[in-house]
Amino acid sequence: MTASGSVTSSPGGPARPSGTAAAGDATAGQRPDHLPVDLLVIGAELVATVDADRREIPGGWVAITDGLVSSLGGPAETPPTATRTLRADGCLITPGLVNTHHHIYQNLTRSFAPALGGTLFTWLTTLYPLWSRLDEEAVHTSAYVGLTELALGGCTTSTDHLYVHPRGGGDLISAEIAAARTLGMRFHPTRGSMSLSVKDGGLPPDSVVQDADEILADSARLVAQHHDPSHGAMVRIALAPCSPFSVSPELMRATAELAESLDVRLHTHLAEDPEEDDYCLAVFGRRPIDQFAEVGWGGDRAWVAHCICPNDEEVEQLGRWGTGVAHCPSSNMILGGGLAPVAELRSAGAPVGLGCDGSSSADSASLWLEARTAMLLGRLRHGAAAMSARDALEIATRGGAGCLGRTGEIGELSVGSVGDLVVWPLDGVAYAGALSDPIDAWLRCGPTAARHTIVAGRLVVENGVPVHPDLDEMLVRHRRIAGGIQAAFDDAGIDPTVPINTGGDSVGAAKSH
């Protein structure tokens, strides 16, 4: 497979010159010439850097030192000596993909049949009693399995929105962070929260909600214990009230103030269903994005999930704020939520990344699949020229970095960026005849999974297989825990064929919650 040497571009995006590229002027991650680099990945059909200049390097190589990219180039540059060399012949190299929205614990109730045939309210009311059984072991195991699944699909950085904190369940966020550390995945867990239970007009039972003081205190504790603001950090914490329907405006406002004082990011669901408009107008007297601003969230500290239903003025406002959007194409399709205005948001200046979402609405966690689906939906919405494979790759990498406040650090390959990359195979039956453009082939053909997934210069997936030896044991444990949790369905005596009485104007838009 070969790549053209001409300048390429995609609609709405900058020119992308292909050809060789020098290492650059940055010094972060560099090592004296006489010392070998830690890892050299060499011989690629193409290196798609997705850097500020969108460089594409035929025959390229990437060197990683101390967890950061120390140099990269093509056949015209002599690569450094290396402690370990990894061949990428015939493959595409991209930055590691960035998952900006997920509910990993939901893989314990993945594709749970009794909840699939009813309404959203039926689904939620069926599953909340099950999730009330979450504990540290369940969350650690689900995170281990879920992050491994993401790594197989080329993800190197993942967020997680864990907003169910049952009484007596333990320290769930620390439990999933432990799994990420074991696997070597870059992780942005968000301390989710719900404060409105059924008695307050919400859907969750009392057993999975907390009061505001408890939520805020635990949020501050987790930031102090785990958050790393340094360049190349492996763990960062964000604060993430679930939605306008599950927490009070006072908690939303207090969380924004706490995030500013601690200098961490904010995340929530927003504008994902027309019913959300109705609810916010009825309860708050304003549309969801106006309410978002009213409680102090309008700004570039926040990124939101879905954002399917903003009007034109709201799209422009999100762009002026620099508020990021986690686009969840599979989830939006499964739920029939609509076509998110991705092109409009990007044009307005809002960072747009990709999200797998949880097993409520997307039972597969593959960012390759989400990138391909984003490309297809973009073309469906605005025509065949509206979304290219390069646009989708950019959303999956650089766009996700923008959502997480890490542009120039993750989601690209440049000197000083993190040493996170994916080697994608472009051979076999699925790619036979795809000779003209590796990036188009990567997303138009397939399906495909990563041959190698590298995080901070260390292999997480090698030759298509997770490197950590405990996966089989963890899958056995996952099945045991999931079986026990799903048995709660029978214990609760819920009949999913009977309509649930939600008390009238209750939670109406939390489709992926």
Side-chain angles (χ1 to χ4, degrees):
M1 181 175 292
T2 60
S4 168
S6 62
V7 173
T8 61
S9 63
S10 62
R16 298 172 173 87
S18 61
T20 59
D25 297 327
T27 58
Q30 289 182 311
R31 180 171 293 185
D33 291 342
H34 66 281
L35 295 178
V37 301
D38 296 330
L39 178 67
L40 176 67
V41 187
I42 193 168
E45 186 74 20
L46 183 73
V47 174
T49 68
V50 203
D51 68 0
D53 297 322
R54 313 306 194 267
R55 294 177 297 168
E56 297 177 4
I57 312 173
W61 52 265
V62 181
I64 300 171
T65 302
D66 296 331
L68 303 177
V69 174
S70 51
S71 58
L72 66 168
E77 290 84 38
T78 301
T81 59
T83 301
R84 180 174 184 182
T85 298
L86 190 68
R87 299 295 309 185
D89 300 87
C91 296
L92 171 69
I93 292 177
T94 71
L97 309 186
V98 180
N99 182 25
T100 59
H101 185 66
H102 207 145
H103 309 295
I104 297 178
Y105 74 90
Q106 290 179 3
N107 65 28
L108 293 162
T109 52
R110 197 192 312 244
S111 192
F112 184 61
L116 300 182
T119 66
L120 164 67
F121 294 168
T122 302
W123 181 85
L124 284 171
T125 312
T126 299
L127 289 178
Y128 276 134
L130 278 63
W131 296 339
S132 70
R133 296 191 174 192
L134 287 176
D135 59 17
E136 290 181 2
E137 182 189 22
V139 168
H140 180 270
T141 304
S142 64
Y144 189 105
V145 171
L147 290 169
T148 300
E149 180 181 13
L150 287 165
L152 287 165
C155 176
T156 56
T157 299
S158 184
T159 63
D160 188 49
H161 191 183
L162 178 52
Y163 55 83
V164 177
H165 294 272
R167 299 290 175 189
D171 186 351
L172 304 187
I173 301 294
S174 294
E176 62 175 353
I177 289 172
R181 292 191 193 279
T182 297
L183 293 169
M185 290 288 283
R186 205 174 299 277
F187 196 39
H188 280 239
T190 70
R191 206 299 180 181
S193 56
M194 296 190 294
S195 63
L196 300 178
S197 68
V198 172
K199 71 179 187 300
D200 307 306
L203 284 183
D206 286 343
S207 60
V208 296
V209 302
Q210 299 171 298
D211 65 46
D213 290 342
E214 184 178 8
I215 291 165
L216 294 169
D218 195 52
S219 297
R221 177 191 66 83
L222 287 166
V223 172
Q225 183 173 345
H226 295 296
H227 183 74
D228 181 359
S230 68
H231 185 89
M234 294 297 291
V235 176
R236 289 189 182 174
I237 304 290
L239 308 184
C242 187
S243 71
F245 308 92
S246 54
V247 301
S248 67
E250 293 76 19
L251 179 57
M252 290 288 289
R253 187 174 291 108
T255 301
E257 293 168 354
L258 179 62
E260 183 171 1
S261 70
L262 298 176
D263 194 21
V264 297
R265 296 186 72 75
L266 290 163
H267 183 53
T268 192
H269 299 89
L270 185 69
E272 59 176 307
D273 190 282
E275 291 182 3
E276 186 175 341
D277 294 345
D278 299 337
Y279 178 91
C280 288
L281 286 168
V283 175
F284 307 123
R286 56 183 69 89
R287 287 172 56 81
I289 291 172
D290 290 335
Q291 178 65 15
F292 182 79
E294 175 68 19
V295 294
W297 281 57
D300 62 4
R301 187 179 297 280
W303 87 100
V304 301
H306 300 285
C307 207
I308 298 169
C309 303
N311 62 32
D312 291 345
E313 292 181 1
E314 291 164 345
V315 166
E316 292 299 321
Q317 181 63 74
L318 290 165
R320 286 192 294 272
W321 286 333
T323 300
V325 173
H327 177 40
C328 303
S330 291
S331 172
N332 296 348
M333 291 173 65
I334 288 171
L335 293 168
L339 297 173
V342 171
E344 293 86 347
L345 286 162
R346 296 182 75 208
S347 179
V352 177
L354 284 182
C356 287
D357 208 3
S359 290
S360 61
S361 50
D363 293 293
S364 169
S366 164
L367 278 182
W368 178 87
L369 176 62
E370 298 306 323
R372 188 175 196 274
T373 306
M375 178 182 72
L376 298 179
L377 284 181
R379 295 162 76 89
L380 177 65
R381 183 177 176 92
H382 291 299
M387 178 74 76
S388 70
R390 286 173 171 79
D391 292 321
L393 173 60
E394 184 167 323
I395 291 170
T397 53
R398 193 176 183 86
C403 287
L404 302 185
R406 301 185 75 169
T407 300
E409 184 184 1
I410 67 173
E412 67 175 75
L413 296 174
S414 59
V415 173
S417 70
V418 299
D420 299 358
L421 61 83
V422 188
V423 179
W424 301 94
L426 298 176
D427 54 12
V429 171
Y431 291 92
L435 305 177
S436 62
D437 189 312
I439 297 176
D440 274 329
W442 167 68
L443 214 54
R444 295 173 70 99
C445 304
T448 194
R451 177 166 294 170
H452 308 302
T453 301
I454 295 167
V455 182
R458 295 183 291 272
L459 282 153
V460 177
V461 173
E462 183 174 8
N463 293 317
V465 178
V467 302
H468 296 85
D470 298 330
L471 179 59
D472 288 344
E473 176 187 341
M474 295 299 282
L475 286 170
V476 170
R477 182 183 301 177
H478 189 281
R479 185 177 184 88
R480 171 180 59 79
I481 294 169
I485 286 175
Q486 292 181 29
F489 175 73
D490 294 329
D491 296 344
I494 298 169
D495 183 353
T497 67
V498 177
I500 301 298
N501 180 6
T502 61
D505 292 332
S506 188
V507 181
K511 287 201 169 186
S512 61
H513 307 175

